[in-house]
Amino acid sequence: MTRPYNFSAGPAAIPTEVLEQAASEMLDWHGSGMGVMEMSHRGKEFLSIYEQAEADLRALLAVPANFKILFMQGGGLAENAIVPLNLSRAGAVDFVVTGSWSQKSQKEARRYAAEVNIVASAEDTGFTTLPDAASWTLSRGASYLHICSNETINGIEFHQLPDLKALGSDAPLVIDFSSHVASRPVDWSRVGLAFGGAQKNLGPAGLTLVVVREDLLGHALPACPSAFDYKTVADNQSMYNTPPTWGIYIAGLTFQWLKRQTEGSLTGVAAMEQRNIAKAELLYNAIDNSQLYVNKVAANCRSRMNIPFFLRDESRNDAFLAGAKERGLLQLKGHKSVGGMRASVYNAMPLAGVQALVGYMREFEQKHA
């Protein structure tokens, strides 16, 4: 069976090899007589799955030894509350607002932090640029600074994480990397905490990844639920409450798939970065060299993962989407808050899928020129 190309922003496509392996193990995992969804999270079978997944992820992302990897629940949206509950220390926190998700994050943080400061915003450009870090008005003594390093809806990405120390701040950097985790390496020397939902690049919805520096543990507000206290979760190896076992299992298979990927001499995440650059360049070039399509994001901060574009004649939107579906190009409708189209080209999207989309876009433009 030839599967369609799924450009959904999340829950998103999962590598076919991962789905096939999960299907083959659905009723009986490695001769245990149980499927993974039926296992005790404290049994030796699932603990072996968890331990392998944690080790593979640490290796893939080159996570330093002084960071804890937590497998949690609630998605990135819940982390907008869980982060200030753990890190705000009832003080001030800083936010850089670059799109819909960082806007949601700062609003949620106001429920828990004593003070929330917007140190920079791209709202005046319609979230089509990134504010220059040199212009940020950082707070003295902030408990942390939060950015969304890839804005899924607006299609903006920090291709380099800000160096807060160089900007004169000792605040830990918190990044929401939900929509580009494992698509490129992470400079952990600049990060205090990273979080992300798994449902874009790592597996199914229901699993949330948190990577947190050890010195940031143990400072949760008294109101923080014990199941969301990072220190409690870390001390119990993500088993304080029943974790999302199926999500961890599929993510673990995805980590193994990532480790097998190669591009020339590169492997793993480094290979994926080169592949993702090639996919994004192909699609952006098709948009930029078109008379029908337009992308409004400044070239220096265009997302490699989420590529929004608009038809200059929006009366043709429905026809474009209908034709795409006929060709097996799915989930291309843009987010309801911005309209237009959006192609999410996460790790599981092969170059052939982007080539098929570009071919259709050119065909549609010729037909409607």
Side-chain angles (χ1 to χ4, degrees):
M1 180 183 70
T2 300
R3 300 189 77 215
Y5 293 115
N6 177 10
F7 293 91
S8 173
I14 293 173
T16 302
E17 291 177 40
V18 169
L19 294 175
E20 290 173 342
Q21 183 173 347
S24 71
E25 296 176 346
M26 179 68 76
L27 298 179
D28 184 2
W29 182 83
H30 296 201
S32 67
M34 298 177 287
V36 173
M37 286 184 285
E38 303 170 292
M39 292 177 178
S40 165
H41 62 294
R42 300 187 187 281
K44 64 178 183 178
E45 294 87 0
F46 182 75
L47 287 176
S48 71
I49 292 171
Y50 161 78
E51 290 165 359
Q52 187 66 56
E54 198 271 353
D56 286 341
L57 182 60
R58 188 174 291 276
L60 275 168
L61 297 185
V63 178
N66 65 324
F67 281 74
K68 294 291 188 181
I69 294 175
L70 312 179
F71 293 113
M72 298 182 67
Q73 292 153 311
L77 199 60
E79 288 300 324
N80 288 332
I82 297 171
V83 169
L85 281 167
N86 277 272
L87 301 191
S88 70
R89 307 192 191 199
V93 296
D94 284 353
F95 277 80
V96 178
V97 177
T98 53
S100 297
W101 284 108
S102 48
Q103 187 74 273
K104 289 177 185 289
S105 300
Q106 65 87 14
K107 288 179 180 179
E108 185 70 12
R110 294 179 187 277
R111 298 164 62 92
Y112 309 102
E115 181 181 346
V116 171
N117 301 312
I118 308 301
V119 303
S121 174
E123 190 169 8
D124 61 343
T125 70
F127 297 126
T128 58
T129 63
L130 284 178
D132 184 354
S135 70
W136 298 359
T137 54
L138 301 175
S139 304
R140 182 173 299 175
S143 297
Y144 64 87
L145 182 142
H146 176 119
I147 66 170
C148 179
S149 44
N150 186 79
E151 291 277 4
T152 319
I153 293 174
N154 304 90
I156 289 177
E157 184 172 359
F158 283 82
H159 292 295
Q160 244 188 349
L161 296 177
D163 183 349
L164 296 189
K165 289 191 180 302
L167 296 174
S169 173
D170 291 325
L173 176 65
V174 170
I175 64 171
D176 174 355
F177 67 171
S178 294
S179 49
H180 74 81
V181 57
S183 73
R184 66 184 224 206
V186 177
D187 183 353
W188 293 106
S189 70
R190 297 186 176 188
V191 176
L193 181 148
F195 70 85
Q199 69 272 15
K200 302 174 188 295
N201 247 347
L202 300 181
L207 169 65
T208 309
L209 173 69
V210 176
V211 185
V212 55
R213 209 171 62 211
E214 287 180 343
D215 64 291
L216 299 178
L217 301 174
H219 304 289
L221 299 179
C224 182
S226 56
F228 296 152
D229 183 327
Y230 291 144
K231 187 175 190 307
T232 299
V233 178
D235 287 348
N236 288 274
Q237 291 77 49
S238 299
M239 301 288 166
Y240 180 72
N241 66 328
T242 304
T245 55
W246 179 257
I248 292 170
Y249 162 66
I250 298 293
L253 296 184
T254 304
F255 302 156
Q256 292 168 17
W257 177 83
L258 283 166
K259 290 175 72 175
R260 296 194 297 268
Q261 302 309 298
T262 60
E263 288 292 327
S265 61
L266 300 174
T267 61
V269 169
M272 295 311 306
E273 181 179 36
Q274 292 305 305
R275 198 176 295 176
N276 291 325
I277 289 171
K279 291 186 297 187
E281 286 182 348
L282 176 62
L283 185 47
Y284 281 121
N285 285 338
I287 295 167
D288 292 342
N289 291 308
S290 161
Q291 298 300 310
L292 181 61
Y293 311 106
V294 61
N295 173 277
K296 301 175 183 179
V297 178
N300 69 333
C301 57
R302 286 174 163 179
S303 171
R304 296 173 187 162
M305 296 284 97
N306 310 101
I307 302 176
F309 60 95
F310 299 84
L311 276 65
R312 295 181 191 274
D313 179 1
E314 294 198 348
S315 69
R316 301 191 187 279
N317 282 2
D318 289 344
F320 178 88
L321 290 169
K325 186 176 181 179
E326 289 175 0
R327 289 159 178 78
L329 307 170
L330 307 182
Q331 306 280 355
L332 283 165
K333 188 174 183 178
H335 190 271
K336 62 183 179 181
S337 65
V338 296
M341 310 297 160
R342 175 175 54 174
S344 294
V345 289
Y346 300 124
N347 285 342
M349 175 60 63
L351 179 61
V354 180
Q355 291 170 332
L357 173 58
V358 167
Y360 168 65
M361 291 170 64
R362 289 172 176 160
E363 174 192 330
F364 187 87
E365 181 171 8
Q366 290 171 357
K367 182 176 179 181
H368 295 279

